[in-house]
Amino acid sequence: MPDLNGGGKAALFSSWDQQTVDTHFRWMREYGIDTAALQRFNPFGSEGPTRDGMAQKVRQAAEANGRKFYVMYDVTNWNGMREQVKQDWTEKMSAHTSSSAYAHQNGRPVVCVWGFGFSDDARPFGAEECLDVVNWFKARGCYVIGGVPTHWRTESEDSRPGFSEVYHAFDMISPWMVGRIGSVADADNFYANVNTPDQAECDAHGIDYQPCVLPGDLQDGQRAHGDFMWRQFYNMKRVGVQGIYISMFDEYNEANQIAKTAASAADVPSGSGIKALDEDGTACSSDYYLRLTGDGGKLLRGEIPLTETRPTRPVV
């Protein structure tokens, strides 16, 4: 493994290590981030034992740090999803709802199903089978979040047609946003033309609305030292959303992580081509996006006033 540009030794963390999971949840506690969605891909495939082990590690870390978590099923490339997701919940995942750390909403355990309605080959499920799954979870007392296409309301672009009944069956709608916006201007366009009418649609049907907020692709230079992310927080507060889903916590491989990141090129492995947080010329501390997310949570909860000007300083 190459050394860092600054001369130090490079190292690689593993999320399988309990210490890593504990650290992530400790950061959540320290920076005021409430809840983690535990992504669970097809547990009947080769990843099954790993997914089972991670669920236990996340539960332990959440309990130890006073944070919440819930199961988010990602149905991508999961051919037997309709019956297997029910089996997995019944035989394994529902047991975690007894944890003091498991998230509940309106007195019901939270479960998310991500991927219904997307118009791509990796999620080819029909509306009838998707509706069956949503109603099955609701019949078992769950509060069900739908991770849905960006254009779910109009059933266009990234959404299949004929899914309106599925979308309206969810207790909460959480449309995907990664790859859809990359600038303040994009965020404002979505505020006016997507988020505001989305919230109105949800209000009309008694559904909670939880849009994504993202820091931006670091490699593509989208972050604008936090101004891009703060504009989204500001806009979502103006919309009056019921929740916010941060995309994502630690996906360094996709350059949209909020977890601690190299502040300057000195902390980047030499020859890697990875950009640091100061890529646009503004110095940012490694924990900047954790602090920014914490302030976004305060804004959502009404603990700080609505302000268009980002309150979070890049370096303390």
Side-chain angles (χ1 to χ4, degrees):
M1 184 173 292
D3 292 337
L4 303 178
N5 288 322
K9 290 293 183 182
L12 182 66
F13 76 91
S14 168
S15 290
W16 183 251
D17 191 320
Q18 184 69 56
Q19 183 182 25
T20 301
V21 184
D22 290 342
T23 298
H24 286 180
F25 276 85
R26 175 171 56 82
W27 287 346
M28 288 176 61
R29 171 172 53 82
E30 290 173 349
Y31 294 96
I33 301 169
D34 300 323
T35 307
L38 172 63
Q39 289 181 300
R40 187 167 175 83
F41 292 82
N42 180 5
F44 291 84
S46 60
E47 288 189 6
T50 301
R51 296 293 171 182
D52 292 347
M54 284 307 304
Q56 187 57 48
K57 294 173 192 291
V58 163
R59 174 175 177 168
Q60 179 178 321
E63 290 173 349
N65 287 280
R67 301 295 92 184
K68 300 293 185 181
F69 77 100
Y70 61 87
V71 173
M72 171 185 274
Y73 286 107
D74 189 317
V75 301
T76 304
N77 295 317
W78 188 352
N79 294 330
M81 177 277 302
R82 182 174 186 170
E83 297 307 321
Q84 289 178 341
V85 71
K86 302 172 186 177
Q87 180 183 343
D88 183 70
W89 180 257
T90 301
E91 296 180 355
K92 293 182 178 180
M93 290 298 102
S94 62
H96 291 293
T97 64
S98 64
S99 169
S100 61
Y102 199 88
H104 286 67
Q105 182 64 32
N106 303 338
R108 295 181 284 160
V110 176
V111 63
C112 178
V113 182
W114 194 96
F116 286 174
F118 282 83
S119 57
D120 57 59
D121 294 339
R123 292 166 280 264
F125 314 104
E128 186 270 335
E129 62 182 314
C130 293
L131 184 60
D132 173 64
V133 170
V134 176
N135 286 334
W136 184 89
F137 276 108
K138 291 175 71 175
R140 276 142 192 85
C142 295
Y143 176 93
V144 188
I145 303 173
V148 300
T150 309
H151 300 283
W152 65 277
R153 176 176 42 81
T154 56
E155 296 185 90
S156 60
E157 298 186 48
D158 60 347
S159 172
R160 296 180 185 275
F163 266 73
S164 178
E165 189 176 2
V166 178
Y167 299 144
H168 291 109
F170 287 112
D171 295 298
M172 172 177 269
I173 287 285
S174 186
W176 190 236
M177 287 298 296
V178 174
R180 307 320 197 243
I181 61 175
S183 68
V184 167
D186 290 344
D188 285 348
N189 177 57
F190 266 72
Y191 162 74
N193 299 306
V194 177
N195 303 125
T196 297
D198 272 7
Q199 181 69 75
E201 178 76 5
C202 287
D203 289 346
H205 291 270
I207 302 169
D208 293 327
Y209 185 44
Q210 185 197 53
C212 293
V213 164
L214 47 149
D217 189 318
L218 183 60
Q219 289 297 103
D220 284 348
Q222 294 178 347
R223 297 203 173 193
H225 49 272
D227 286 347
F228 172 52
M229 191 176 195
W230 186 257
R231 187 68 178 195
Q232 295 168 71
F233 282 129
Y234 170 72
N235 285 345
M236 294 309 98
K237 180 65 175 179
R238 291 196 290 161
V239 167
V241 302
Q242 288 70 64
I244 288 174
Y245 183 88
I246 303 298
S247 309
M248 303 287 286
F249 188 84
D250 61 345
E251 284 191 352
Y252 293 95
N253 58 314
E254 296 186 9
N256 62 357
Q257 75 283 358
I258 63 165
K260 292 187 181 184
T261 299
S264 70
D267 297 322
V268 173
S270 59
S272 67
I274 297 173
K275 292 184 179 179
L277 292 181
D278 64 352
E279 54 83 25
D280 69 349
T282 300
C284 301
S285 63
S286 64
D287 69 346
Y288 177 43
Y289 284 89
L290 290 168
R291 292 189 289 110
L292 188 62
T293 298
D295 286 343
K298 291 176 183 177
L299 180 68
L300 177 66
R301 293 188 295 268
E303 296 170 7
I304 59 175
L306 178 66
T307 172
E308 187 174 358
T309 302
R310 169 178 44 78
T312 317
R313 294 161 56 191
V315 176
V316 177

